[in-house]
Amino acid sequence: MTEFAAARRWQPFHTPKNLAAALSVEAGELLEIFQWLTPEQAAVVMEDPKSAHRVRDEVADVLAYLLQFCTAVGVDPLAALDAKIDRNELRFPAAPDE
């Protein structure tokens, strides 16, 4: 993604604020696909080729902007996820087996 943006000279626009805003917009576009669907309709969205294509495109956009944001602010996304899971393990212990 960094090379893609650099080849297009987008770096001046890829500030943390702009990337966070773009990420939010793309997440909103993903949500828009499901916005008025019932839970039953949402469960089968990926069975329709047209809606499945839209979902995949929006997921790709969200991921692309998230990775670019992480690069801009110096966050390793996998390390951040690991740390968050560790904190959540402490906050929300697993239910004991019955």
Side-chain angles (χ1 to χ4, degrees):
M1 291 306 311
T2 302
E3 290 176 16
F4 183 87
R8 288 148 184 83
R9 298 187 178 114
W10 290 346
Q11 301 96 321
F13 309 105
H14 283 194
T15 64
K17 178 195 75 70
N18 288 350
L19 291 167
L23 175 59
S24 177
V25 168
E26 294 302 337
E29 290 179 3
L30 178 60
L31 175 59
E32 184 179 34
I33 297 167
F34 296 90
Q35 184 174 8
W36 303 113
L37 301 182
T38 65
E40 296 78 19
Q41 291 168 322
V44 297
V45 160
M46 297 305 288
E47 294 176 12
D48 173 52
K50 184 178 178 183
S51 62
H53 177 73
R54 289 182 60 212
V55 168
R56 284 191 297 273
D57 277 357
E58 296 309 332
V59 166
D61 289 342
V62 168
L63 182 58
Y65 278 117
L66 178 59
L67 294 174
Q68 290 175 84
F69 175 83
C70 288
T71 298
V73 298
V75 169
D76 177 333
L78 296 179
L81 179 59
D82 279 343
K84 182 66 174 187
I85 290 170
D86 289 345
R87 286 192 307 278
N88 283 344
E89 286 284 339
L90 296 173
R91 290 180 61 205
F92 309 105
D97 291 333
E98 292 185 32

